[in-house]
Amino acid sequence: MDGLLKMGRLFFAIAMAFFGVQYFIYASLMKGPIPGPPWIPGAHWLAWLTGVAFVAIAVGIAIEKRARLVAMLLGAALLLNILLLHVFSLITQLHNPAPWTDTFELLSLCGASFILASVLPLDEPTSLKDNVLSPLATSFAIAGRFVFVISLVIFAIQHFIYARFVATLVPRWIPGHLFWAYFVGVAFIGAALAIAAKVQAKLAALLLGTMFLLWVLVLHLPRVAAAPGNGNEVTSLFIALAMSGASFILAFSLTRDPSV
């Protein structure tokens, strides 16, 4: 099971690192795939700061150096980002699918960050800081699982409402485009119910992570290869990779502590 956490942690860290690289490209005015939704580049000085933060987070998670603290800070930063930059847009554009996708992609990554913090090892088990972080991480992990499940439900609803648009994203060589749009919606609902009810939750999280990984390989990589300078496509690829890692991290947490 440690391999499951290692793979999820690696996917998550790689995605964070590439988000940082995208912000550096934007801040340095270079031509390249700048951040797309759900990220908001903003001022150039802020983009530099965000890029450094993402890379530092990725390194900390990858090498497990202050990783628990780093993951907690990432979750808190994503939550603050949602509250300050996305909630208003969502409320004022209820019939626009874009703010819903952006908000709940960030919310699922926020939840995944808190879950990751709960399963990472402590740097110094005897320190006061870790004694405070440990119960805090567990509490936030429970909330993280809840918001992750809610996000899956929102993704499912979007697949049902906008099935015909989703069908256009399925590669041409795969038959039954509309079927797959609905199938993924049903898969999201099934995973959400299993994880919420803790019935075959680990299997559901494993299958969910595998589905996201297949999207990376079959859907997103070809689209990025066709348009490597398109920041939206590159961001979507790494969001899917982060979601795959998040699902594997969740599967590990359910194996380690079913109450989380």
Side-chain angles (χ1 to χ4, degrees), residues 29-51:
L29 301 178
M30 294 171 57
K31 290 184 178 180
I34 65 172
W39 309 120
I40 300 174
H44 285 87
W45 69 267
L46 186 58
W48 279 114
L49 184 62
T50 304

Side-chain angles (χ1 to χ4, degrees), residues 221-233:
L221 275 177
R223 292 176 69 90
V224 169
N230 188 325
N232 292 350
E233 294 291 353

Side-chain angles (χ1 to χ4, degrees), residues 105-231:
E105 280 181 346
L106 287 179
L107 194 61
S108 59
L109 295 181
C110 170
S113 301
F114 290 138
I115 295 168
L116 178 60
S118 72
V119 297
L120 288 170
L122 300 174
D123 287 313
E124 300 170 12
T126 58
S127 71
L128 177 61
K129 180 190 70 176
D130 285 331
N131 287 336
V132 172
L133 274 181
S134 187
L136 190 63
T138 300
S139 299
F140 273 80
I142 296 171
R145 183 168 63 87
F146 175 77
V147 298
F148 194 85
V149 165
I150 293 297
S151 298
L152 293 180
V153 173
I154 297 299
F155 298 152
I157 292 171
Q158 287 191 304
H159 274 72
F160 295 141
I161 295 175
Y162 306 106
R164 294 195 177 278
F165 168 74
V166 174
T168 66
L169 303 177
V170 179
R172 292 182 180 180
W173 56 270
I174 298 178
H177 292 186
L178 193 58
F179 163 80
W180 289 111
Y182 285 118
F183 176 85
V184 170
V186 172
F188 278 141
I189 290 290
L193 290 175
I195 294 167
K198 300 178 186 174
V199 176
Q200 296 295 327
K202 174 193 161 188
L203 176 61
L206 279 171
L207 292 174
L208 184 66
T210 302
M211 183 175 74
F212 278 117
L213 184 57
L214 285 174
W215 289 4
V216 171
L217 300 174
V218 174
L219 172 63
H220 293 291
L221 275 177
R223 292 176 69 90
V224 169
N230 188 325

